[in-house]
Amino acid sequence: MTVRWGSLSAECVREWAQLTNLLATVDGAEEFYEAEDLAEELIEPGVDAVRDTVAVWDDGALIGFGQLGVKRGPPSGNLSALLVGGVHPDHRGRGMGVRVMDLLEARAMQLGAERGPGVPVHLRVPGGIEDASVRRLLEHRGYAIERYYRKLERPIPGAPVAEPSVAVTPYSAELSEQVRLAHNDAFSTHWGSTPRDPLRWQSYVGSRSFRPDAGFVSLAADGRVLAYTLVCEWVPGEAWVDLVGTRQEARGRGLARACLSASLRSMAAQGYTAAGLSVDSENAQGAGALYSSVGFELQRVVASYGKVVPALG
């Protein structure tokens, strides 16, 4: 048995997808990815796949991985680092998860020192469902639950969805920049959210998973986007309502509901079989009630762990 440590690369995305999807089932997170979608994550803006990822091999089989992404954002203007990874269930208990975390945390602090000298780093890690084995590891390392996220689903077509109560417009590439600006305004008060710059936004709307033909927007008289729903697809036949938002000035007018209703009707017309989404359990804008009103039901609750580490030096 020979264990080799390295980085994720385009050459191993098939094995990476197989491991990711196995863990999605075993650990109950049910977040599945195609190899082509994972390949795009290695070339996202700001990602150095060689230094920002970890791959663990055992006799040619990928048995563990880790990913890191760093950006500036809440809380308190800290640098925010998202650490994601996993170890094959047959190889747990050998200290691999600990070493993956060691490597990712060290890299996060290095990037923090480069991108925000003197600024604390907020480390965030998905904590999975209740009793997930990763929670013990995280708590031992000083992480604590910061947030719970509710994963909701509904069948498509499912219960009939009323026509939008106000006029909406299909998403188009010409509206992309206006949607970005609306999104940054809408999410400026959301915990843990950071503004999307044009480069990151173009990476998002140009991704393989993005489904422009299921997105809708509500426009102001001056052409600005006031509300929007954007959709992705990671599992064939299943739509993921990825972003829903309303500019702060336009809240309380049913605009997001209209966009979401139009998206659900479009999904049905396109032959999707299900739709899912994730919502912060402490969402202050009442998003949970909105989603329940159009037929989404709770499937599972996952936790987000975090800790703030002082800057190096």
Side-chain angles (χ1 to χ4, degrees), residues 4-310:
R4 176 173 59 86
W5 291 75
S7 303
L8 296 169
S9 67
E11 289 71 30
C12 71
V13 291
R14 298 293 172 188
E15 294 89 342
W16 182 16
Q18 291 173 1
L19 178 56
T20 296
N21 294 335
L22 171 65
L23 297 178
T25 300
V26 171
D27 295 330
E30 297 189 22
E31 295 183 357
F32 302 95
Y33 294 91
E34 300 275 317
E36 292 79 3
D37 295 319
L38 294 178
E40 289 186 340
E41 296 186 9
L42 298 177
I43 57 174
E44 289 182 350
V47 173
D48 182 336
V50 174
R51 295 190 290 176
D52 298 344
T53 71
V54 177
V56 190
W57 301 87
D58 186 351
D59 290 336
L62 185 68
I63 61 172
F65 75 95
Q67 294 172 265
L68 171 68
V70 173
K71 56 189 177 182
R72 181 177 292 277
S76 304
N78 299 332
L79 285 168
S80 179
L82 178 64
L83 290 65
V84 179
V87 175
H88 192 291
D90 292 345
H91 296 271
R92 292 174 179 173
R94 299 168 57 187
M96 294 180 184
V98 172
R99 185 173 177 189
V100 168
M101 287 295 295
D102 286 343
L103 293 170
L104 294 181
E105 287 184 359
R107 176 59 176 162
M109 298 309 297
Q110 178 186 19
L111 285 175
E114 295 174 1
R115 300 180 184 180
V119 178
V121 179
H122 178 212
L123 302 175
R124 300 171 61 187
V125 186
I129 61 175
E130 188 71 25
D131 295 328
S133 60
V134 69
R135 295 193 180 189
R136 295 187 292 276
L137 170 63
L138 295 175
E139 290 165 5
H140 181 73
R141 299 178 73 91
Y143 289 81
I145 294 176
E146 296 181 321
R147 224 67 172 181
Y148 287 100
Y149 289 89
R150 302 169 68 230
K151 306 294 184 177
L152 312 178
E153 295 180 5
R154 65 154 288 161
I156 300 292
V161 177
E163 292 188 17
S165 58
V166 297
V168 296
T169 300
Y171 171 87
S172 66
E174 292 73 21
L175 292 168
S176 175
E177 177 61 9
Q178 278 292 333
V179 178
R180 183 185 74 85
L181 296 174
H183 172 73
N184 286 346
D185 181 84
F187 275 72
S188 63
T189 56
H190 285 227
W191 183 89
S193 179
T194 59
R196 302 278 186 104
D197 61 38
L199 187 60
R200 286 180 59 212
W201 185 259
Q202 285 305 311
S203 176
Y204 170 68
V205 299
S207 66
R208 177 180 178 272
S209 60
F210 186 64
R211 296 293 178 266
D213 52 356
F216 286 84
V217 304
S218 174
L219 298 175
D222 62 4
R224 289 183 308 131
V225 171
L226 296 179
Y228 57 91
T229 297
L230 299 182
V231 176
C232 292
E233 180 183 358
W234 282 284
V235 177
E238 298 182 12
W240 184 260
V241 181
D242 200 45
L243 296 177
V244 179
T246 304
R247 281 184 177 271
Q248 297 180 61
E249 68 191 70
R251 288 174 179 165
R253 293 160 52 183
L255 303 184
R257 180 188 301 275
C259 292
L260 180 57
S261 296
S263 285
L264 291 171
R265 292 168 66 88
S266 175
M267 292 173 201
Q270 294 180 53
Y272 283 99
T273 60
L277 56 84
S278 175
V279 62
D280 186 340
S281 61
E282 298 182 37
N283 182 284
Q285 283 71 48
L290 164 63
Y291 302 139
S292 296
S293 72
V294 292
F296 283 90
E297 297 182 350
L298 178 65
Q299 296 299 311
R300 57 197 176 279
V301 177
V302 299
S304 176
Y305 276 72
K307 67 177 178 180
V308 177
V309 182

